[in-house]
Amino acid sequence: MTTPANALPAGTRLDEFVIERILGGGGFSIVYLAESTKTRCSVVIKEYMPVTIATRDDSMSVIPLAEQHTERFNHGRRLFFQEASTLTTLKHPNIVNVINFFRANGTVYMVMAYEEGVNMQAYIKKHKGNLSEPFIKAVFLPLLNGLQMIHSKGLLHLDIKPGNIHLRSGANPLLLDFGAVHEMMQSRQFQPNQVITPGFSPIEQLDPGGYVGPWTDIYAIGATMRACLEGVSPPPSPQRREKDTMRPAASAFKKKYSAYLLEAVDWAMEVDPMLRPQSVDKLIEALNGNCLLYTSPSPRDRTRSRM
């Protein structure tokens, strides 16, 4: 693993925690394994560090790289703080457990319970897809239950993908990274830091006038299930809207999986958001085989739906 630039060294103390090592990092944060000096329990600490616009000075404080980045840096820090605050209210066995958050070193830190396991993206890569149907149901039904709770709070995740799912022992899943969390019924124009992951973000997330809702997270869930079958990311949604050459799961994988599982994947991955399940409940019913099989619209019907 490449050490993220500006990462804090092992032995650094943050509040009651001492950093042991770096776990990873992305464009907006660095993640550490740490230990509580009070409980001696291991925790995960996520630090707001937007690498393209910030650096760390000699006092270990995170500061904007230049004056023109100050407003953007401060705005991102506020959003990170809001993410941590939101997550402390979302208590569910399949959602990452944020146990504390605090300000220090000019930035914000989020403290999460540490749990052994493996990242789903790495797991899919290792097995080249081909994950069994019992495994897929064992992972996605609890995840959907957690997502149902998120939606009931008037929130959307908007960044579901294999890399944001942690697999504990027994395929017990944990949904991670709520950095893109978004309130329902809020205009997209007030969400400047939109997170887009090709293959997993549906078309309405990329369109400036797109209307996001539960169906947006449902597409990402469907795309993640498809990756479990195929071993690769699905085609980007703009490419699918232009010319959808992706073979329906119901025909591509019919020799290995049940019809109702494959139909559920295809239904969740409809390019047109109006053709997808409009609530998590409906997708759960489909995965359990408790509703009529979904029939993919013909190319002619797809064209009409986009007019």
Side-chain angles (χ1 to χ4, degrees):
M1 181 189 71
T2 304
T3 301
N6 297 312
L8 291 168
T12 301
R13 180 153 181 162
L14 294 169
D15 196 59
E16 68 176 84
F17 308 99
V18 177
I19 290 176
E20 295 184 345
R21 61 185 173 90
I22 298 160
L23 292 176
F28 295 94
S29 62
I30 301 175
V31 182
Y32 308 92
L33 179 68
E35 183 183 79
S36 168
T37 57
K38 293 182 179 178
T39 65
R40 296 300 173 187
C41 291
S42 293
V43 297
V44 174
I45 297 181
K46 185 177 177 181
E47 176 187 46
Y48 173 64
M49 167 59 86
V51 294
T52 59
I53 61 169
T55 187
R56 198 182 303 277
D57 65 15
D58 293 338
S59 69
M60 295 199 302
S61 292
V62 179
I63 58 172
L65 273 171
E67 187 176 346
Q68 64 264 32
H69 299 312
T70 301
E71 184 177 352
R72 186 177 163 199
F73 173 83
N74 290 340
H75 179 70
R77 185 173 57 186
R78 283 194 299 272
L79 290 178
F80 191 91
F81 189 86
Q82 289 169 16
E83 174 195 353
S85 179
T86 297
L87 277 171
T88 59
T89 70
L90 297 178
K91 299 302 179 185
H92 188 279
N94 300 105
I95 293 175
V96 61
N97 182 23
V98 172
I99 55 181
N100 191 14
F101 62 99
F102 56 90
R103 295 183 177 95
N105 297 333
T107 189
V108 176
Y109 296 90
M110 189 188 310
V111 185
M112 296 162 278
Y114 173 74
E115 300 199 50
E116 293 281 354
V118 62
N119 185 269
M120 176 173 258
Q121 185 173 339
Y123 193 83
I124 290 172
K125 184 177 180 181
K126 178 182 177 181
H127 294 273
K128 300 179 181 178
N130 299 304
L131 303 185
S132 72
E133 183 160 335
F135 176 90
I136 290 170
K137 293 184 74 173
V139 170
F140 286 94
L141 287 173
L143 272 183
L144 285 167
N145 188 262
L147 187 59
Q148 196 172 38
M149 190 271 281
I150 294 167
H151 290 174
S152 74
K153 300 283 188 181
L155 300 169
L156 302 169
H157 187 282
L158 296 187
D159 194 24
I160 297 171
K161 57 188 176 184
N164 283 342
I165 298 170
H166 182 70
L167 297 175
R168 295 169 290 190
S169 177
N172 188 10
L174 198 62
L175 185 58
L176 311 175
D177 203 338
F178 283 68
V181 70
H182 181 57
E183 291 183 15
M184 293 187 200
M185 308 306 292
Q186 180 181 326
S187 171
R188 289 283 312 288
Q189 65 181 326
F190 298 115
Q191 193 185 11
N193 295 327
Q194 178 63 38
V195 176
I196 299 297
T197 303
F200 300 94
S201 299
I203 197 67
E204 68 270 18
Q205 233 175 313
L206 285 80
D207 287 347
Y211 182 44
V212 296
W215 49 87
T216 307
D217 283 338
I218 285 169
Y219 184 96
I221 284 280
T224 302
M225 287 194 290
R226 173 104 189 191
C228 290
L229 309 178
E230 201 161 17
V232 296
S233 300
S237 54
Q239 179 182 318
R240 293 189 63 211
R241 180 170 64 175
E242 185 69 25
K243 185 179 181 181
D244 194 359
T245 58
M246 187 180 77
R247 191 178 173 193
S251 59
F253 307 103
K254 64 182 179 181
K255 293 183 179 179
K256 187 168 183 181
Y257 301 95
S258 67
Y260 66 83
L261 171 67
L262 299 177
E263 293 284 356
V265 171
D266 287 336
W267 191 17
M269 285 196 70
E270 271 296 340
V271 176
D272 187 332
M274 294 183 68
L275 296 178
R276 290 177 221 142
Q278 298 297 289
S279 70
V280 171
D281 288 351
K282 294 296 184 184
L283 185 54
I284 290 175
E285 288 179 10
L287 282 173
N288 282 322
N290 293 333
C291 66
L292 292 175
L293 284 182
Y294 157 76
T295 302
S296 178
S298 66
R300 186 176 183 181
D301 290 336
R302 292 178 193 271
T303 302
R304 285 177 177 171
S305 71
R306 293 195 288 267
M307 294 177 67

